[in-house]
Amino acid sequence: ARAAAGLLPSPAVAAYTCVDFSGGMLAAARANLGERAAVVSASSARLPFDDGAFDRYVANLGLCCTPDLTATLAEARRVLGPGGVAAMSLRIEGGEGDTSLKLLQDALAPFGMPPGPDREGVKIGKDLPALKARVAAAGFEGGAVAFRTYATLPVHDVPTFLEFATQQPPTFKFLAGLEASQRDAAEKALAEAAAAALAAGAIQMAVAVVIARC
């Protein structure tokens, strides 16, 4: 709810509801928003709201996390009323130009880091026609546009990148399971990879964006 905290209160927004399945994320949303919005614990694949309850639906890097993309898209459509608009983004696993999570994976693979999650949501962004077709199949009759872009991370030096890297749950768990000497070598490899990426430009994440209308 960091973006919403900068928006609310606004005369253009009558009410705002945040939904997440993570207790930590819900606590952060409550801290950011206070009384300016409702914060609800739920899965995006089963939302506890009536049909047509909302005018707008926003899922920021959420579609890549859902285990059931079909159900999540269907729920997004169900809770939107006539004329509703959904804005959804998803990370592209291994997308061209990705120097964030792909960099972590590539740098740590020699130390035994397992591959990333095998979810449809982290792959379909590579095929924009397929993504638009899935959105249409969910009932967005008003059409959809989809495009690829990059999200630039606020990471501008190697120590900040290492802090970002070790805060990612898969990376944190993996490093914690290594022996001290292996962990030192793995962190050195991360630092070298980050230095090379920063020398070439920003640390960025490959992202697909979909705007769909009811």
Side-chain angles (χ1 to χ4, degrees):
R2 191 174 297 164
L7 170 69
L8 302 174
S10 167
V13 180
Y16 195 96
T17 301
C18 295
V19 177
D20 207 290
F21 64 86
S22 163
M25 294 293 280
L26 292 168
R30 293 188 183 98
N32 280 328
L33 291 168
E35 300 299 320
R36 291 175 285 174
V39 180
V40 177
S41 175
S43 165
S44 63
R46 185 175 293 183
L47 295 172
F49 307 115
D50 293 337
D51 295 358
F54 298 97
D55 299 313
R56 300 289 184 266
Y57 175 102
V58 178
N60 183 26
L61 298 179
L63 294 187
C64 47
C65 298
T66 177
D68 190 338
L69 181 61
T70 297
T72 292
L73 289 172
E75 280 293 88
R77 175 62 187 90
R78 182 186 67 78
V79 299
L80 282 171
V85 178
M88 302 170 282
S89 63
L90 55 155
R91 177 171 62 86
I92 303 174
E93 181 74 20
E96 182 181 355
D98 181 8
T99 54
S100 57
L101 299 178
K102 185 176 186 298
L103 187 153
L104 300 183
Q105 186 68 47
D106 291 348
L108 295 177
F111 300 90
M113 179 79 167
D118 187 24
R119 289 192 297 263
E120 184 182 19
V122 297
K123 297 179 179 179
I124 197 169
K126 293 182 180 180
D127 188 341
L128 295 182
L131 179 57
K132 289 173 64 176
R134 291 297 296 279
V135 170
F140 285 90
E141 307 93 341
V145 297
F147 55 93
R148 281 188 290 266
T149 186
Y150 299 102
T152 301
L153 276 61
V155 174
H156 306 295
D157 54 57
V158 172
T160 307
F161 176 83
L162 290 176
E163 181 180 1
F164 156 77
T166 55
Q167 286 178 350
Q168 303 306 307
T171 309
F172 176 84
K173 293 176 184 177
F174 173 73
L175 291 174
L178 296 178
E179 295 181 358
S181 60
Q182 282 188 306
R183 185 165 59 251
D184 290 343
E187 290 181 354
K188 180 180 178 183
L190 279 175
E192 291 173 350
L198 288 165
I203 299 291
Q204 60 188 20
M205 180 184 301
V207 175
V209 179
V210 186
I211 310 295
R213 299 181 179 276
C214 297

